[in-house]
Amino acid sequence: MTRRQLSRERVLAAAAEVADADGIAALTIRAVAGRLGSAPMAVYHHVANKDEILDGLVDTVFGEIDPPVPGRPWRSELARRCRSARAALTRHPWAVPLLDSRRRPGPATLAHHDAVLGTLLCDGYDARAAGHAFALVDAFVYGFALQEAAIPFAGDSVADGAREILGGVAEGAYPHLERFTAERIGPGYAFADEFDVGLDLVLDAVGTLRSPGGRAG
């Protein structure tokens, strides 16, 4: 691929592909160039260094998240935004530690944060409460994404995995784990289903921070 055919957008897309496939530690200018079929020096015509790529990747991820719309009911808007954020973080499991780490946030990042704060500030939250609410929902979404990515079992294999873990210990050694596994972890169980339950609880808590007079969502 020639230098003329490259663009910053193509470089960032290739960087995301490298990180998605091999993790953020594998992200180098050489790896990005290899993904593009280009020479490393050609990549430097579009990004100055790896740090600029990381800035761009964070902005790319925020650009994939549906922002809430200020002026609409806060609860439904934040719920939609949080589900979209989780979907983006599932696609890019390397992203969570980076999202709030950059000193040079891009336009998509700034617009997203502005939309979240605007949704809260326009619907019954003062600045202090909006800050608390934003921190709480992101702690839940980011934490859930990290936990979900770390689970070594998926889908119906969760039940098999739980039985495998408990199969190596004496019966009755961990009675509460045994009961929970027997009553809750069975065919059809998916850890992903815990997300909406947790999100509703978090949004219930966020609702307690509102000043009187805002809409219920």
Side-chain angles (χ1 to χ4, degrees), residues 75-126:
R75 183 170 183 131
S76 57
E77 287 300 297
L78 284 193
R80 180 176 57 80
R81 176 263 181 184
C82 288
R83 293 187 183 103
S84 177
R86 178 190 164 224
L89 296 175
T90 299
R91 292 190 296 271
H92 309 298
W94 46 266
V96 171
L98 292 178
L99 288 189
D100 292 320
S101 71
R102 312 311 298 167
R103 290 173 177 261
R104 296 182 296 276
T109 303
L110 294 172
H112 182 88
H113 284 67
D114 185 74
V116 173
L117 290 171
T119 299
L120 293 164
L121 292 171
C122 289
D123 200 3
Y125 292 81
D126 60 24

Side-chain angles (χ1 to χ4, degrees), residues 24 27 50-59 98 102:
I24 203 70
L27 184 61
K50 180 179 175 179
D51 210 43
E52 186 174 331
I53 289 179
L54 293 177
D55 288 340
L57 285 180
V58 168
D59 213 46
L98 292 178
R102 312 311 298 167

